[in-house]
Amino acid sequence: MSVIDEVKQKLDIVEVVSQYVPLTKAGRNFKARCPFHEERTPSFFVFPERQSWHCFGACGTGGDVFSFVMKQQGMEFSEALRLLAQQAGVTVPTRIERDTRKDERERLYQVNEAAARFFQDQLLHSTAAAKARDYLSGRDFTTDTLTAFQLGYSPDSYEALKSHLQERGFSEKELVDAGLLVETDDGRTRDRFRNRLMFPIRDARGRTTGFGARVLDDSLPKYTNSPQTLVFDKSGTLYAIDLAAPAIRKRDQVIIVEGYMDTITAHQNDFNNVVASMGTAITERQVTTLKRLSKNIILALDADAAGEEAMLRCVDYENILDAEIRVIVLPEGKDPDDVIREDPQKWQELVEDAVPVVDFTFSTKTTRLDMTTARNQSRAVHELGAIIARMKDAVRRDHYIRRLEILTKTRYNIIEGVVKEYMAPSKQSKPKREPATQATQLLLSNPLEEYCLRLLLHHPELTNMSEGLLPEYFQDSQNREIFVTLQQTKDTSSLKDNLDPALWEQVESLVALDVIDNKIDKKLDTVILRLREQYLRDQNEERAAAFATTTEEEGSGADLTRLKEEGIEANIQLQEVFEQKGRSDRSGKGWT
Ligand SMILES: [Zn+2]
């Protein structure tokens, strides 16, 4: 049980509310003049059985004990939780741990920033950096470019950076944590990057998170990066995203290249919507970051090196983006850096001629194999069929099956059968998951709310489609808080940062449960409809209870009329829900 549930269980809403508002008994419930708006006759009710409250007057709102204290005291959820936990004698995990991590991160940005300035200064002024300067002038990089990308040079020394930064008040530990120093076997530390051309890596907000480094001779490896740190994670990083974001948004298109040099050359030639992946394959986190700027992703990566697994993932990304990913077909043996430097116009043409990544895979695969042999036909149908199986859109699947029919000279129904085989695994694994799901659901306080959150947590892209979903539909304050925060962040990776640690347990338990990945849009529509229904029904019950107690006493005529009118309005809305539900029940299965 989460601390929040524990607090709810130990406190009685009637006692909590009466600390602030004098309640009078009204049947099984309690009423008062609403503390949130001016009124002469009471329309504020507390329902002990449901442990809820509702104002049927001007506020027209309600909730549980947490939302009452939040509204009454003008508090954030976290503050209300702490206040109530204290009353209930429940210990809440402190924020301190999280805050120190925040300070720690802030410190690492500062260390990296100071290191980037040091490296830049070395490149511009030190005699030892002559070779690095020669290399860059061979690339025709302008001073503006060097400044924009803050390129630098790390001296050929074990402690140049270390002593420079220690003099500026950074501790040895901070330097190690930032990945700038390495620890040696004898327990000492030395500079990680020596005699290298340095590329500071920044996040979307322009904070320096880590470094890429290139050797200046023929030694290998040519490039190294900062290790994973509290602020640097290669898999979520896009080089030059801070510089490229405005152009990506403006052109509604992003081009992903592989290298630092490709990116810098592109930007110097006014192709500013270019970023670099930090490896040959792009990751889901990178796609999610870019999606906020543009859905039109074009890859200028070495498609061969990316491999089959990467291709399969691309189709998954297309499902997330709800758009095709395209690929630039580079001339044999050339990278974007070469092409742009030789002829910027040619690059522009290649971008315009970019082909859908699936089409590209289909043609490379089938032209490489001799399609007259049964063995190769079978191989192509299986390999490409697996890709088709990943597509969520049936029309698209049909399009590519027909394509494969022509390319492999295999009959449509045969290919369709193979595709179905690859689609099957998710169905087969379903029964395996179910016992766990059911067992866990018994412990859940509100299965419908939690199911909705699970959908959104597993598919953050759906938050854009959840317009009809109102915070009020979540009766449980912890679910409501998670929903509201998710709506603001639109991204699960930063959700926890913005959420009280007391809610992490709930988020983790929601994320731990899978959702079956088909027809998720429809599942979301259905669950929103059901939540709305639940919300309206609860309101009706509360209203009926309030109505009953008001008629028992003399009550003011105006209040009764208003309650009646609201009741009618709610019933009309409920009727709408039933009509919509009727439509969706006929067109498919439910939300489970
Ligand atoms: Zn009110």
Side-chain angles (χ1 to χ4, degrees):
M1 186 164 47
S2 75
V3 286
I4 295 155
D5 291 336
E6 212 181 325
V7 171
K8 269 193 174 179
Q9 212 183 40
K10 290 197 173 158
L11 291 180
D12 178 13
I13 192 166
V14 177
E15 276 172 37
V16 175
V17 174
S18 42
Q19 292 170 23
Y20 305 95
V21 190
L23 292 172
T24 38
K25 196 128 177 50
R28 280 180 300 183
N29 305 312
F30 294 84
K31 64 178 178 180
R33 282 201 306 223
C34 179
F36 309 127
H37 80 276
E38 282 294 324
E39 63 177 0
R40 277 179 301 159
T41 49
S43 49
F44 175 87
F45 283 78
V46 177
F47 307 96
E49 282 160 30
R50 317 170 71 98
Q51 287 291 303
S52 67
W53 62 275
H54 200 103
C55 167
F56 292 100
C59 313
T61 141
D64 62 13
V65 68
F66 291 103
S67 56
F68 174 79
V69 171
M70 283 164 76
K71 204 165 159 69
Q72 169 68 32
Q73 299 287 84
M75 282 179 167
E76 295 284 314
F77 178 78
S78 300
E79 298 169 295
L81 169 64
R82 266 151 197 82
L83 181 76
L84 291 171
Q86 207 182 8
Q87 291 182 22
V90 173
T91 328
V92 181
T94 63
R95 271 194 116 106
I96 294 165
E97 195 202 349
R98 201 182 117 209
D99 284 343
T100 51
R101 290 305 257 188
K102 198 175 164 192
D103 291 345
E104 228 179 293
R105 275 201 293 268
E106 197 47 52
R107 203 60 189 154
L108 294 191
Y109 294 131
Q110 288 168 10
V111 170
N112 283 327
E113 183 55 45
R117 277 200 303 271
F118 172 76
F119 293 141
Q120 186 183 29
D121 191 55
Q122 294 294 312
L123 178 72
L124 298 175
H125 305 116
S126 107
T127 44
K131 206 170 170 187
R133 285 194 294 269
D134 286 350
Y135 174 81
L136 291 170
S137 59
R139 295 267 167 169
D140 302 321
F141 286 154
T142 63
T143 319
D144 283 351
T145 300
L146 297 188
T147 314
F149 286 88
Q150 212 182 6
L151 299 190
Y153 171 74
S154 55
D156 196 4
S157 152
Y158 284 113
E159 51 195 17
L161 179 72
K162 179 177 164 182
S163 55
H164 174 84
L165 292 178
Q166 280 186 328
E167 276 166 29
R168 270 147 195 83
F170 293 104
S171 70
E172 191 175 21
K173 183 180 178 298
E174 285 170 334
L175 295 171
V176 172
D177 289 346
L180 292 165
L181 297 187
V182 284
E183 284 171 306
T184 55
D185 294 339
D186 57 1
R188 295 160 55 145
T189 59
R190 57 175 173 76
D191 287 7
R192 176 186 298 271
F193 303 110
R194 296 181 312 280
N195 191 26
R196 294 224 176 347
L197 185 59
M198 300 301 296
F199 304 87
I201 298 166
R202 297 184 293 242
D203 64 12
R205 288 161 66 179
R207 299 175 298 199
T208 309
T209 54
F211 291 88
R214 186 196 194 282
V215 294
L216 291 160
D217 52 27
D218 294 328
S219 60
L220 290 170
K222 205 150 99 177
Y223 285 96
T224 47
N225 290 319
S226 292
Q228 171 118 7
T229 71
L230 198 55
V231 297
F232 184 68
D233 177 6
K234 232 174 84 167
S235 73
T237 299
L238 288 157
Y239 180 61
I241 184 69
D242 58 322
L243 300 174
I248 294 172
R249 214 178 257 128
K250 202 166 149 210
R251 295 191 198 184
D252 190 17
Q253 177 193 75
V254 55
I255 300 170
I256 306 180
V257 296
E258 233 168 274
Y260 303 115
M261 286 300 172
D262 297 326
T263 315
I264 300 171
T265 304
H267 279 249
Q268 178 159 305
N269 286 277
D270 293 329
F271 302 115
N272 296 314
N273 59 336
V274 174
V275 294
S277 68
M278 302 295 295
T280 44
I282 55 169
T283 65
E284 183 170 339
R285 281 182 57 201
Q286 291 170 334
V287 171
T288 315
T289 305
L290 291 173
K291 194 188 157 198
R292 273 175 249 143
L293 301 169
S294 172
K295 285 173 149 197
N296 297 311
I297 297 182
I298 303 182
L299 306 177
L301 307 174
D302 186 345
D304 285 340
E308 224 129 280
E309 183 49 37
M311 281 314 312
L312 287 175
R313 262 183 279 141
C314 268
V315 178
D316 293 340
Y317 301 155
E318 290 181 325
N319 293 336
I320 294 175
L321 291 164
D322 201 15
E324 278 184 328
I325 295 177
R326 285 181 296 152
V327 56
I328 291 173
V329 186
L330 292 163
E332 190 79 22
K334 290 198 174 161
D335 52 33
D337 180 37
D338 302 323
V339 177
I340 298 171
R341 280 196 296 141
E342 277 164 27
D343 182 4
Q345 186 54 40
K346 171 79 183 160
W347 170 255
Q348 185 56 42
E349 285 162 21
L350 289 176
V351 171
E352 278 155 24
D353 294 341
V355 293
V357 70
V358 177
D359 293 31
F360 175 76
T361 314
F362 271 53
S363 54
T364 43
K365 187 116 280 165
T366 47
T367 46
R368 243 176 248 159
L369 295 171
D370 169 13
M371 276 303 138
T372 57
T373 75
R375 196 193 147 91
N376 284 343
Q377 284 170 343
S378 164
R379 210 178 128 188
V381 167
H382 276 272
E383 285 175 5
L384 299 172
I387 291 176
I388 298 174
R390 291 286 253 270
M391 298 172 185
K392 68 171 179 188
D393 180 16
V395 178
R396 236 185 132 203
R397 284 201 301 272
D398 173 66
H399 170 90
Y400 283 105
I401 293 174
R402 280 187 280 124
R403 186 90 196 270
L404 203 50
E405 188 181 14
I406 298 163
L407 289 168
T408 62
K409 301 174 187 71
T410 308
R411 281 207 306 274
Y412 186 98
N413 60 336
I414 306 277
I415 302 174
E416 197 183 23
V418 171
V419 169
K420 288 225 170 89
E421 271 173 46
Y422 285 101
M423 288 170 78
S426 68
K427 274 183 208 150
Q428 280 163 5
S429 60
K430 192 173 149 191
K432 242 191 295 166
R433 273 188 215 136
E434 256 166 7
T437 311
Q438 280 166 358
T440 324
Q441 272 192 351
L442 288 177
L443 302 172
L444 299 179
S445 53
N446 191 324
L448 202 54
E449 290 180 10
E450 313 213 349
Y451 179 78
C452 180
L453 287 177
R454 269 163 58 205
L455 269 180
L456 294 174
L457 287 167
H458 281 278
H459 297 278
E461 74 277 8
L462 291 179
T463 42
N464 295 325
M465 298 171 44
S466 60
E467 283 148 14
L469 188 56
L470 305 177
E472 295 94 283
Y473 293 180
F474 294 89
Q475 316 262 311
D476 182 306
S477 278
Q478 59 180 333
N479 291 338
R480 190 184 290 186
E481 189 69 12
I482 294 169
F483 171 68
V484 170
T485 314
L486 188 62
Q487 249 187 343
Q488 284 157 0
T489 55
K490 303 224 180 235
D491 158 22
T492 41
S493 52
S494 55
L495 175 67
K496 272 188 164 185
D497 287 341
N498 293 293
L499 214 53
D500 191 281
L503 290 161
W504 291 2
E505 192 185 326
Q506 174 79 343
V507 172
E508 274 155 18
S509 72
L510 292 170
V511 172
L513 290 174
D514 261 334
V515 289
I516 296 147
D517 270 356
N518 67 352
K519 297 194 184 141
I520 46 164
D521 321 25
K522 192 163 169 348
K523 283 178 184 166
L524 181 71
D525 286 346
T526 313
V527 78
I528 293 176
L529 211 56
R530 300 239 169 144
L531 277 173
R532 183 158 178 241
E533 181 191 353
Q534 175 183 283
Y535 171 73
L536 292 169
R537 272 185 199 281
D538 285 352
Q539 268 209 30
N540 262 354
E541 279 175 33
E542 289 178 347
R543 189 175 293 108
F547 189 76
T549 55
T550 315
T551 38
E552 274 166 26
E553 303 153 37
E554 61 270 68
S556 88
D559 283 347
L560 280 178
T561 319
R562 200 197 52 242
L563 275 175
K564 251 186 217 159
E565 276 168 9
E566 279 172 7
I568 293 165
E569 175 58 28
N571 277 319
I572 292 170
Q573 289 186 32
L574 208 48
Q575 187 57 38
E576 279 171 24
V577 170
F578 290 140
E579 280 165 16
Q580 283 183 41
K581 251 175 67 182
R583 277 199 295 277
S584 68
D585 282 349
R586 276 194 296 279
S587 61
K589 284 186 192 154
W591 54 276
T592 39

